[in-house]
Amino acid sequence: MSGALPARASVVVVGAGYAGLTAALALRDAGVDVVVLEAADRPGGRVWSVPHPRAHAVDHGGQWVGPTQTRLLALADRFGCARFPTHDEGSHLELWHDGTLHEGTSERDSTAPGHAEYAAAVADIEALAARVELDDPAATPDAERLDATTVASWLDGVPEVARPRLALAVQGVWAVEPRDLSLLHLAFYVASAGGWDQLMRTRGHAQDQRFVDGAQAPALAMAAHLGDRVHLSTPVRAVRDGLVETDRGTVRAERVVVATTPPAARAIVFEPPLPAPRRRWLERSVMGDVAKIHVVYDRPFWRADGRSGQASLYTAHDLPGVVFDNSPADGACGVLVAFVYGDRLRTWAALAPERQRAALLDTLGRLFGAAATRPTDLLVQDWVADPWAGGAYAAVPAPGAWIEYGEHGWRAPSGTVHWAGSETSSLWHGYIDGAIRSGERAAAEVLAALDHPARGQEDS
Ligand SMILES: Cc1cc2nc3c(=O)[nH]c(=O)nc-3n(C[C@H](O)[C@H](O)[C@H](O)COP(=O)(O)OP(=O)(O)OC[C@H]3O[C@@H](n4cnc5c(N)ncnc54)[C@H](O)[C@@H]3O)c2cc1C
């Protein structure tokens, strides 16, 4: 996958994440001469499954798929990538902000307070989401006020008892703090996923299933299918009048699809320069802060205690925001995955490595008992340190950005440069499924621009 670069190709795709690979596969299936240039030494981007002797495959990035994420499911089926249900049986824990521990079979029936108030606030968000224009959020009724309102200031108006759950939801889904997110982007994202529950819940929703061999499996299969059209360890530095410049040479192309995160796109030099709205949009698109920590045990001991392994922590001083059972499909060992994001990640990053580990295990011990303090392995992936993603899960436009630059800057092609990436999708924006949809859209744009008839998919 990393041979000599061709001197020219009809289309160059920048980035071999799900968006870029999907665009390339659609173009290849249509008979277009396409080349994928990927900076990292692996395909998959923000989805990265690492083999583990006991946990089979550890998903350091995106991992879950839900029933309405139909493009990812179709891709997985095309390449025969097996899935299994996320472990969801048993009681979930809630560590309330006063330090008391609560249990319930869902976040709606735990013994912690505030369920009715939370449900009422969610209903308000759903009402906003129902009005969002998915293909042009800036055209949503009342968009200017919604984009000028941060979720933090909106939270000031909801009953205090509902705020911990809503704040944790924002941190958990966007990996930012409520002060970083506008009400318009929140409503857009909820609409994009098909509702609040789709984002938050497990069975039947976004966290429904996992991939037996890790969520990178379909990306690896796509890259293998594209074969020597994919060039790894080939960072693109500039796109000058159709000449794509990399660390390993240049490729001349009629069209270029840039399928990176917004900060990674910003780091590429474009000549002619990108139109001002696109440049400003990229500058205002800020990646979230998240680390994903896998803690491996001999067995999933919490299941025998009637626990699901899921926990939500509302205490500001505890490092993870949520914990899930991430044990492998074959049950060869037990795995808990802890998500550390936003302010919590900044606190974590300031600690010495041994303090980081001790703080995390102390919290897991309080949740699941002393056995949780004795893992056999602990693996940390801090996405803020990833040179090509620049953060995760996705970019969040700064408050006001949709109104100021969304209409012209979000995803409209810039001359012969087309834009893909999960951040450019109307549906499942920020998710793998959204990345795939964006790749399909960009490929369709390119085919139309090249006046190339779309062909049916080839099987080879
Ligand atoms: C911790 C974490 C948990 C997540 N959980 C889920 C989940 O459970 N379910 C879900 O659906 N989604 C999840 N996501 C989000 C999901 O992973 C992303 O939305 C999706 O993978 C984005 O795909 P993409 O192709 O748009 O971008 P990317 O995957 O970021 O791909 C962009 C590619 O471009 C490359 N690149 C960057 N700059 C250059 C350059 N100059 N030249 C060449 N190549 C370049 C990068 O190396 C990368 O491979 C999660 C993400 C993270 C990090």
Side-chain angles (χ1 to χ4, degrees):
M1 278 197 272
S2 294
L5 295 187
R8 55 181 65 242
S10 297
V11 181
V12 163
V13 174
V14 183
Y18 270 89
L21 291 169
T22 303
L25 201 58
L27 292 166
R28 192 216 80 124
D29 285 348
V32 172
D33 168 30
V34 60
V35 162
V36 183
L37 305 177
E38 164 58 49
D41 59 2
R42 60 174 180 84
R46 280 170 274 174
V47 180
W48 182 24
S49 314
V50 175
H52 187 275
R54 301 199 59 206
H56 190 54
V58 168
D59 270 315
H60 282 309
Q63 65 171 48
W64 283 295
V65 57
T68 67
Q69 296 177 346
T70 52
R71 302 312 299 143
L72 175 54
L73 291 171
L75 192 67
D77 288 346
R78 175 175 173 184
F79 290 109
C81 300
R83 303 173 296 274
F84 68 106
T86 302
H87 181 77
D88 195 35
E89 284 86 52
S91 64
H92 308 329
L93 297 175
E94 283 193 305
L95 189 57
W96 199 240
H97 62 92
D98 61 5
T100 53
L101 195 57
H102 299 266
E103 288 196 50
T105 52
S106 82
E107 75 285 0
R108 307 213 171 158
D109 65 5
S110 84
T111 51
H115 295 289
E117 293 83 351
Y118 171 79
V122 168
D124 289 346
I125 293 170
E126 296 273 17
L128 287 178
R131 296 174 8 215
V132 167
E133 293 286 344
L134 279 171
D135 287 332
D136 183 8
T140 298
D142 208 17
E144 194 162 338
R145 185 185 64 80
L146 296 173
D147 210 23
T149 307
T150 66
V151 175
S153 51
W154 173 77
L155 278 177
D156 287 342
V158 306
E160 205 170 339
V161 71
R163 288 180 207 159
R165 282 196 183 86
L166 292 161
L168 187 68
V170 167
Q171 293 152 353
V173 171
W174 289 271
V176 300
E177 296 296 327
R179 60 178 175 263
D180 301 319
L181 185 69
S182 83
L183 207 45
L184 180 62
H185 191 66
L186 176 117
F188 162 69
Y189 212 90
V190 170
S192 161
W196 181 262
D197 279 357
Q198 276 298 336
L199 295 170
M200 302 298 161
R201 308 197 83 184
T202 303
R203 188 65 63 243
H205 300 93
Q207 281 71 243
D208 190 56
Q209 296 175 30
R210 293 166 52 211
F211 287 85
V212 172
D213 295 325
Q216 196 186 354
L220 291 171
M222 274 196 286
H225 204 64
L226 287 160
D228 59 12
R229 294 174 180 85
V230 179
H231 297 266
L232 302 177
S233 304
T234 308
V236 169
R237 304 296 181 186
V239 179
R240 295 183 213 272
D241 292 316
L243 190 66
V244 182
E245 300 176 7
T246 82
D247 290 1
R248 298 179 54 240
T250 60
V251 185
R252 180 158 292 290
E254 289 173 61
R255 296 272 154 176
V256 177
V257 176
V258 177
T260 69
T261 59
R266 219 161 51 217
I268 297 171
V269 174
F270 291 92
E271 278 180 18
L274 297 179
R278 178 64 185 161
R279 242 183 321 117
R280 304 305 265 168
W281 173 263
L282 291 176
E283 286 162 8
R284 282 161 168 72
S285 297
V286 181
M287 299 302 287
D289 298 279
V290 63
K292 204 172 164 185
I293 304 171
H294 284 87
V295 193
V296 183
Y297 302 93
D298 282 333
R299 56 190 179 81
F301 59 86
W302 51 91
R303 294 184 187 177
D305 300 335
R307 303 256 163 78
S308 65
Q310 286 179 41
S312 305
L313 295 91
Y314 306 109
T315 43
H317 53 276
D318 281 308
L319 290 172
V322 295
V323 180
F324 270 86
D325 180 329
N326 234 22
S327 306
D330 62 9
C333 64
V335 180
L336 291 174
V337 61
F339 288 84
V340 182
Y341 24 62
D343 287 344
R344 288 176 165 95
L345 184 59
R346 286 179 274 278
T347 304
W348 158 274
L351 298 176
E354 60 280 8
R355 284 285 307 126
Q356 292 178 337
R357 182 186 164 99
L360 177 68
L361 294 182
D362 173 67
T363 304
L364 294 179
R366 276 186 285 133
L367 292 168
F368 299 108
T373 64
R374 296 188 292 270
T376 57
D377 206 357
L378 192 147
L379 301 103
V380 179
Q381 170 63 17
D382 178 355
W383 283 91
V384 176
D386 183 278
W388 300 110
Y393 321 102
V396 171
W402 274 119
I403 288 299
E404 291 155 9
Y405 297 110
E407 183 186 355
H408 301 293
W410 179 25
R411 62 186 180 191
S414 312
T416 57
V417 178
H418 299 258
W419 304 101
S422 193
E423 285 84 356
T424 68
S425 185
S426 292
L427 294 180
W428 283 111
H429 184 103
Y431 284 72
I432 303 168
D433 192 76
I436 295 167
R437 289 171 194 272
S438 79
E440 292 171 343
R441 189 228 346 113
E445 279 175 17
V446 168
L447 290 176
L450 295 176
D451 206 13
H452 192 101
R455 253 205 251 148
Q457 286 188 345
E458 292 169 15
D459 288 327
S460 63

